[in-house]
Amino acid sequence: MAAGLAGHYTDRMDALKAAPEADAFVAGLDALLAAALARIEEAAKAPPAAQIGVRELLVVALRNEIEASEEAAMWLIAERDPELKLGLARQCGDEAKHYRLIADRLAALGHDLSGHDPLAGGHSPMFRYLKSLDTTAERLAAGPFAREALAKVRNEVFAQFCDAHGDAETARLYREIITPDEAYHHELGRRMLPRYVRTRDDQERARRAVARTLQIAEELQDVARMKLGISSAPGC
Ligand SMILES: [Fe+2]
Ligand SMILES: [Fe+2]
């Protein structure tokens, strides 16, 4: 073995030894996530502007679902681990299914979506950040683990908004179909992460990815409320 290569493996072994156990590290990420989600949930409960109702918030959800589907699609191609690849494939399909269910619900509410392009305004800063991530550890941490946990919390706030506005059917769609899928996507990230955060470098990347994802989510939530009067919107 060449000296340089031997050095590479020695370094990697050192990193393995030095890094906290992967399970303990992911438990630490849970705590970071829970603290930010509590803040985001509180802010999301602020009522939207008077002109924003269930239909307007469902239209916002369409872009989130399309972006989540694209995110899983672009990442699944790069993975070799069949469990992760198939998990992302399921997520990709689930998000597409959510888009269809939401579009059907909008149609039932009398909202015409013909000609609607959910990406007409371009991809969101959240999507652009996720797309920039290079490692499996970062992708799992930011996407399935953090963004899908965010979706669970936001969807329940939205379901409560639907209840308060007499739309039990939309609340049911979220509570019985969409949110359980988002919970599965979060659990996929939670379950797979320990395999991909065995070195200090991967752990640091994953931690930063979770923190940055949550920070972007909070910033976007503030901008949507201040500029558009949007609050209580569902996730993805
Ligand atoms: Fe999802
Ligand atoms: Fe979704």
Side-chain angles (χ1 to χ4, degrees):
M1 188 181 287
L5 199 54
H8 169 79
Y9 281 107
T10 309
D11 290 349
R12 203 156 170 84
M13 289 306 290
D14 286 348
L16 272 169
K17 271 187 234 152
E21 285 297 319
D23 288 336
F25 171 75
V26 176
L29 286 188
D30 286 336
L32 173 69
L33 184 64
L37 288 182
R39 274 199 314 275
I40 290 170
E41 181 179 12
E42 229 15 73
K45 284 179 178 168
Q51 72 274 19
I52 306 291
V54 170
R55 290 203 289 184
E56 288 70 26
L57 295 177
L58 285 174
V59 172
V60 172
L62 290 176
R63 182 167 86 160
N64 293 339
E65 298 292 356
I66 280 287
E67 289 193 343
S69 186
E70 287 189 356
E71 164 206 317
M74 73 187 170
W75 287 345
L76 82 87
I77 295 166
E79 298 301 336
R80 291 290 296 273
D81 180 341
E83 195 181 347
L84 178 51
K85 193 184 270 292
L86 294 177
L88 290 168
R90 174 181 159 169
Q91 185 192 346
C92 179
D94 286 345
E95 311 295 11
K97 178 183 79 179
H98 299 165
Y99 185 99
R100 287 237 175 262
L101 290 168
I102 294 165
D104 289 349
R105 183 68 196 135
L106 276 165
L109 291 169
H111 189 91
D112 182 12
L113 277 176
S114 48
H116 178 70
D117 174 2
L119 294 173
H123 284 88
S124 68
M126 177 68 86
F127 182 87
R128 294 201 300 273
Y129 169 67
L130 295 172
K131 194 178 176 191
S132 76
L133 297 173
D134 290 326
T135 67
T136 302
E138 290 166 296
R139 291 172 180 178
L140 274 174
F145 180 76
R147 189 172 183 243
E148 298 294 324
L150 209 53
K152 278 198 307 177
V153 167
R154 287 196 165 148
N155 289 356
E156 178 49 31
V157 172
F158 175 63
Q160 288 167 15
F161 178 85
C162 294
D163 283 337
H165 288 75
D167 189 342
E169 185 55 27
T170 303
R172 191 196 63 77
L173 171 65
Y174 270 83
R175 288 199 180 108
E176 293 185 12
I177 302 175
I178 296 178
T179 304
D181 284 342
E182 314 304 12
Y184 181 91
H185 306 153
H186 167 69
E187 285 304 322
L188 170 74
R190 181 73 181 67
R191 193 173 73 246
M192 300 300 295
L193 257 177
R195 287 185 204 177
Y196 294 93
V197 290
R198 299 233 169 99
T199 68
R200 216 171 250 297
D201 180 53
D202 281 330
Q203 291 184 359
E204 186 48 30
R205 283 172 177 270
R207 193 196 57 72
R208 273 200 310 254
V210 170
R212 182 69 185 131
T213 300
L214 296 167
Q215 185 188 15
I216 292 172
E218 288 196 77
E219 287 168 2
L220 292 179
Q221 184 166 276
D222 285 349
V223 169
R225 192 176 62 246
M226 287 188 295
K227 281 196 173 167
L228 306 168
I230 290 173
S231 189
S232 305
C236 58

